[in-house]
Amino acid sequence: MDAKSQQIPEPLPSTLPPQGATAVPPPPAPMRTTLRRAAFGAVAGAVLVAGAVIAVPDEAEKAAPPVAGPVARAEAAAAAGSPASLSDLTALIGDRQKWVETHPADAPSWAVLGTAYVEWGRRSADASYYTRAEQALQRSLAAQPGERGNTGAWVGLATLANARNDFLAAKRWGETVRARQPKNWTAYPVLIDAYEGLGEYASAAKAAEKFASLRKGVPALARTSEVYRNQGWREDALATAQEAADRAATPTEKAEALNRLGMLAAERGEPEEALAQYDAALRTDRSSLTSLAGRARALVALDRADEALVDYRTVTTKLPRPAYVLELGELYESLDLDGDARTQYTRLRGLLTQARTSGVDESLTEARFEADHGDPEAAVDLMRTAWEGQRRSAAVADTLAWSLHRAGHSEEAMQYAERAVETGVRNASYSYHLGVIESSLGQDGPARGHLQDALRTDPRFSPLAAPLAREALDALGEPAEGGPAQILPPSQDPAPEPTAAPSAPAPSPSPEAEDEPAADASPAPKPSRSASPSAGAPRTGASASPQG
């Protein structure tokens, strides 16, 4: 069942105006009264629970437990940190909407409703739900301020900020909760997402470690796998992702784990394995549209473009994320279907405008589009703004580098392209971009190595860029025999003819001296088995780089 087929009840009208997550400053430090109230509430809750247990008759203990309904399943998933199914999420939203209509001062219910709206907006690509989420979360805080124990609303605001790609605001809210309640596990998933979006990978790793210590299980394994991936620990990422898939308890949880395995396989350049994982995810949960998008990419890599187009059309209809629409447009372009490509690019511009109106930052996708299909200078401006706003992930560094190169600023682009590659993220597009930039600056040896690395990592990383990578590598040719001239020993003048006794032969350079490059020379990379011509600054497909 897809997101659009679910019927979400209309939300209640809110008396609070919409506000951006960054417009709400973190609250002041807690007071002693807050701690006393929290302690009293915990004791009272324990007494109520104990009383309920004592009051249960013996016959009830023998009865079979009731089957959990959709609302209870959604609540259980949230309590475990796992995703709920779309049908259960729909039921939870409807249940909370009816409840707060007659209980407007129930702060926790408003917080649950707001957070559920965020999840629905994320999984349906309907950013209007983010505005509804913000209103519900503000209603929750109006009924009970966060400093009086309503940290659920603060975590909801952090979740909302991450969904809008406002990672700096998410970091502030998450750190506020962590400072007050270091053992509140709900703060750590939002902090992991925020740190990764900002490129603070060491902080993300620490948060993941703390999350795993507080809340063991599939959600922690999933977050840890992603952290490992972003640090370049590929084997660890794969092993942890596989463990998450093996231990997943619900179809939705299982599908997400299988989707992650598919992504890792695609990054390794194994489209057959990726396709198998995506198909398994879809068999487990037919509503997993992110898996359907991954399946489309794998089909493109396997030269099954017709099937890929069918999947992409379905995904972009039911889950119209700008990144997916850009991928579909580039696939059309690679097939010389320019009219269809232009239609998708026009649609993409409309989606980007809608995102801005809803307060969602889609500048990364917009810059990738502008760099290759529009105005590279505009792409540079978008990515400079992101970088100056502390959004410094590998994806942002790579996109800024490519935008600068396309705008004619290759020397400046180098530092960002190198930074993206040095993070350790296994992304063929990053290596391709760095290789092209190096080639444009006359650094043929390093360029050859990075282009080879891109094609070795994933020979079909993009329907537009992969053929251009082969052309660029072929244009560089094979390295000169013996390596670059500057690492060869200096030529010797011919020795004079001996007159009386033969003179001692001149010592020949040692093997170590022959193999050691000069201080200013780069080592010669291995020759490539790929060939194709290239031209100075080829384009790349924006779909080659993941979101971040």
Side-chain angles (χ1 to χ4, degrees):
M1 183 180 300
D2 61 77
K4 298 299 183 184
S5 66
Q6 300 290 340
Q7 297 297 319
I8 295 293
E10 286 299 314
L12 297 175
S14 173
T15 58
L16 297 177
Q19 299 178 20
T22 50
V24 186
M31 298 180 292
R32 294 181 181 177
T33 54
T34 304
L35 298 177
R36 287 199 298 271
R37 288 170 181 165
F40 175 79
V43 172
V47 170
L48 290 173
V49 171
V53 172
I54 293 172
V56 173
D58 293 338
E59 291 77 8
E61 295 179 2
K62 301 177 182 179
V67 177
V71 175
R73 289 195 300 266
E75 291 175 330
S82 299
S85 70
L86 288 175
S87 58
D88 291 351
L89 184 61
T90 303
L92 177 63
I93 290 175
D95 179 78
R96 285 299 182 270
Q97 284 179 348
K98 292 178 181 178
W99 177 261
V100 297
E101 186 175 2
T102 56
H103 301 78
D106 187 344
S109 289
W110 278 113
V112 169
L113 178 59
T115 305
Y117 278 151
V118 175
E119 181 67 5
W120 184 266
R122 185 182 69 82
R123 291 168 68 177
S124 66
D126 186 348
S128 67
Y129 277 91
Y130 297 154
T131 301
R132 302 178 185 185
E134 189 166 15
Q135 292 172 347
L137 293 167
Q138 293 296 340
R139 288 288 294 268
S140 177
L141 290 171
Q144 179 185 357
E147 55 268 17
R148 290 174 50 193
N150 190 8
T151 54
W154 287 347
V155 172
L157 285 173
T159 305
L160 173 61
N162 276 326
R164 286 172 162 169
N165 297 322
D166 187 356
F167 302 114
L168 191 58
K171 172 184 173 180
R172 290 168 179 163
W173 283 115
E175 288 182 344
T176 297
V177 175
R178 183 180 61 185
R180 292 167 177 270
Q181 299 179 356
K183 294 186 178 181
N184 182 347
W185 67 267
T186 63
Y188 293 95
V190 293
L191 278 175
I192 295 168
D193 290 344
Y195 288 141
E196 289 182 341
L198 295 170
E200 299 178 11
Y201 297 118
S203 296
K206 292 179 181 178
E209 183 178 358
K210 184 66 174 178
F211 179 37
S213 70
L214 294 172
R215 197 73 178 179
K216 300 183 185 302
V218 174
L221 290 169
R223 300 281 179 173
T224 301
S225 175
E226 184 65 15
V227 167
Y228 286 159
R229 171 198 172 270
N230 287 334
Q231 291 183 319
W233 301 348
R234 297 156 193 164
E235 293 78 10
D236 297 299
L238 176 59
T240 309
Q242 185 62 61
E243 184 179 357
D246 293 341
R247 294 176 56 181
T250 67
T252 305
E253 193 175 61
K254 182 82 168 181
E256 286 208 354
L258 292 168
N259 179 72
R260 187 172 297 102
L261 287 171
M263 292 173 61
L264 292 172
E267 289 180 348
R268 296 193 304 270
E270 300 175 5
E272 295 89 352
E273 173 66 17
L275 181 62
Q277 298 292 356
Y278 291 131
D279 282 341
L282 289 165
R283 287 194 299 271
T284 304
D285 181 4
R286 295 178 60 186
S287 68
S288 179
L289 293 173
T290 54
S291 296
L292 189 60
R295 184 178 191 274
R297 293 189 206 101
L299 289 170
V300 172
L302 293 169
D303 288 325
R304 294 162 62 178
D306 289 343
E307 297 172 74
L309 285 172
V310 173
D311 286 350
Y312 265 128
R313 289 170 187 143
T314 301
V315 170
T316 55
T317 299
K318 297 181 178 181
L319 190 63
R321 291 178 180 172
Y324 296 162
V325 175
L326 178 56
E327 290 176 22
L328 176 56
E330 290 186 337
L331 177 56
Y332 278 131
E333 187 174 341
S334 72
L335 298 172
D336 295 325
L337 299 173
D338 294 340
D340 293 317
R342 285 193 298 271
T343 298
Q344 295 304 317
Y345 295 153
T346 300
R347 183 185 179 197
L348 172 61
R349 290 191 183 279
L351 291 173
L352 293 171
T353 300
Q354 292 176 17
R356 282 192 294 271
T357 302
S358 301
V360 180
D361 183 355
E362 288 285 358
S363 58
L364 190 62
T365 299
E366 185 173 1
R368 288 170 176 164
F369 169 69
E370 294 292 351
D372 282 319
H373 311 285
D375 182 357
E377 290 288 358
V380 170
D381 291 341
L382 287 167
M383 288 297 92
R384 283 198 196 280
T385 299
W387 194 265
E388 291 166 0
Q390 300 183 37
R391 190 176 172 185
R392 301 179 179 180
S393 65
V396 171
D398 169 72
T399 306
L400 176 53
W402 189 245
S403 301
L404 285 165
H405 168 71
R406 296 283 294 165
H409 312 297
S410 298
E411 290 187 3
E412 185 183 359
M414 273 287 293
Q415 60 179 312
Y416 299 106
E418 289 175 339
R419 177 163 178 159
V421 170
E422 289 168 359
T423 60
V425 176
R426 191 183 183 95
N427 190 303
S429 180
Y430 296 175
S431 296
Y432 164 67
H433 289 161
L434 178 55
V436 170
I437 293 168
E438 289 168 330
S439 179
S440 71
L441 296 174
Q443 301 180 19
D444 291 356
R448 187 181 294 107
H450 285 116
L451 290 170
Q452 289 174 344
D453 184 62
L455 294 170
R456 190 164 44 241
T457 299
D458 184 358
R460 301 297 303 275
F461 64 91
S462 162
L464 285 178
L468 296 172
R470 295 187 188 93
E471 293 177 5
L473 184 61
D474 186 69
L476 290 172
E478 299 293 338
E481 186 177 354
Q486 57 264 43
I487 70 171
L488 296 175
S491 58
Q492 301 287 336
D493 293 330
E497 291 293 329
T499 51
S503 59
S508 60
S510 66
E512 292 79 7
E514 290 181 356
D515 293 338
E516 182 178 356
D520 61 345
S522 301
K526 295 179 181 179
S528 168
R529 294 183 181 179
S530 320
S532 306
S534 154
R539 295 184 301 190
T540 182
S543 60
S545 299
Q547 292 292 318

